[in-house]
Amino acid sequence: TGKIFLCLSSSWFCPRPPASACPPPVFIRQAITFDHGGQTYLDTFYPPRKVTYLSWLGEQFLLEDQWDCPMGGSPQLSCILADTLGVRLLLDHKDIPLPPALILNSSHQLDPWEPHNGEAKLTKVVELFQKEGRERRVQQEISAFLTSLKLRGHHKVVVKICWPSPNPSSSPTFYSTHDPSPVSDAVLDILSEYPEGQAVLLEGFITTVPPRRLKPPQPPACIPRKHGDVMG
């Protein structure tokens, strides 16, 4: 059986050899690996590891040349996975465990996902199409959301700007759940600075759990034999 590796950058692949007479194989020198219990690791391979099948999502840089490696991919799937908000609503609808979230939407980019909007368990969507009273409503929604996060044991909240696909999202920012004012100010700045078309996603931050070292099973304890015991 083989293993699945996740490469997040084209620099993790080995460069194509110059002037190759035949299509060369694909090698990776770095990848995210998956272990038992959902643990992930960033591994570096010495020597580089040969790829037996490549499935691409997003950038298709390897398709420009000929390689001795079967490949496959789906542009439609890439677009779906790039839609952070839509995937969030879909996973929530399917009862996949997720941190609580608040979506402050100022555009119509959620229209294709409306059937899942009202069925989300842990995701609340607030439409902000009307600018009148927007500031007060944002403050109220964020204050209530942070209160619910604290009750669930979350000490931080993650704020992300989500654009309609295929526009890239900016880096997330982190705030304490104990003071809603900085969070509200940051969200209001985002809504006033950027043009219509984006949404703001707030999620409860989950602290990364360090990997647990799996101990090999211990042999059964030896039962001391009493003097005079006879094996039948």
Side-chain angles (χ1 to χ4, degrees):
T1 59
K3 291 187 176 181
I4 296 178
F5 301 99
L6 177 62
C7 294
L8 301 180
S9 172
S10 58
S11 63
W12 294 9
F13 290 84
C14 293
R16 180 183 176 88
S20 300
C22 300
V26 177
F27 288 91
I28 55 174
R29 52 190 176 190
Q30 196 171 32
I32 294 176
T33 58
F34 302 87
D35 203 351
H36 299 290
Q39 299 176 6
T40 57
Y41 301 91
L42 179 59
D43 288 340
T44 302
F45 304 108
Y46 297 105
R49 184 148 183 168
K50 183 179 179 180
V51 178
T52 56
Y53 183 84
L54 177 66
S55 178
W56 50 264
L57 291 173
E59 187 179 2
Q60 308 171 26
F61 61 95
L62 288 178
L63 301 184
E64 300 175 357
D65 300 307
Q66 295 294 324
W67 297 87
D68 184 17
C69 178
M71 298 184 186
S74 170
Q76 293 82 4
L77 180 60
S78 299
C79 291
I80 292 176
L81 295 179
D83 187 349
T84 303
L85 302 182
V87 172
R88 164 84 202 196
L89 291 174
L90 180 61
L91 294 178
D92 199 350
H93 169 66
K94 296 298 183 180
D95 293 327
I96 304 299
L98 297 169
L102 173 66
I103 298 177
L104 301 173
N105 183 30
S106 62
S107 69
H108 295 275
Q109 61 175 319
L110 293 180
D111 286 351
W113 304 94
E114 282 300 327
H116 303 298
N117 188 353
E119 302 174 357
K121 282 78 173 177
L122 295 172
T123 308
K124 181 178 181 180
V125 180
V126 177
E127 306 289 0
L128 299 173
F129 300 144
Q130 302 295 331
K131 292 187 177 181
E132 183 178 356
R134 173 185 291 184
E135 179 176 348
R136 179 173 178 80
R137 187 176 184 189
V138 167
Q139 293 172 343
Q140 292 175 341
E141 293 289 349
I142 290 179
S143 178
F145 179 64
L146 295 186
T147 299
S148 67
L149 287 183
K150 288 187 292 184
L151 294 177
R152 293 174 177 267
H154 294 273
H155 300 288
K156 292 183 179 180
V157 60
V158 188
V159 179
K160 306 175 184 178
I161 306 175
C162 299
W163 297 85
S165 179
N167 293 323
S169 299
S170 60
S171 300
T173 54
F174 302 85
Y175 299 90
S176 171
T177 56
H178 298 282
D179 187 2
S181 296
V183 185
S184 299
D185 293 342
V187 172
L188 290 172
D189 288 342
I190 293 172
L191 296 176
S192 61
E193 178 180 355
Y194 292 94
E196 296 296 327
Q198 88 289 343
V200 182
L201 172 64
L202 292 82
E203 286 184 318
F205 176 73
I206 299 179
T207 304
T208 303
V209 179
R212 298 178 59 184
R213 187 178 299 275
L214 300 178
K215 297 181 179 180
Q218 298 294 328
C222 296
I223 301 177
R225 185 183 304 173
K226 295 181 180 180
H227 182 70
D229 288 349
V230 179
M231 298 295 293

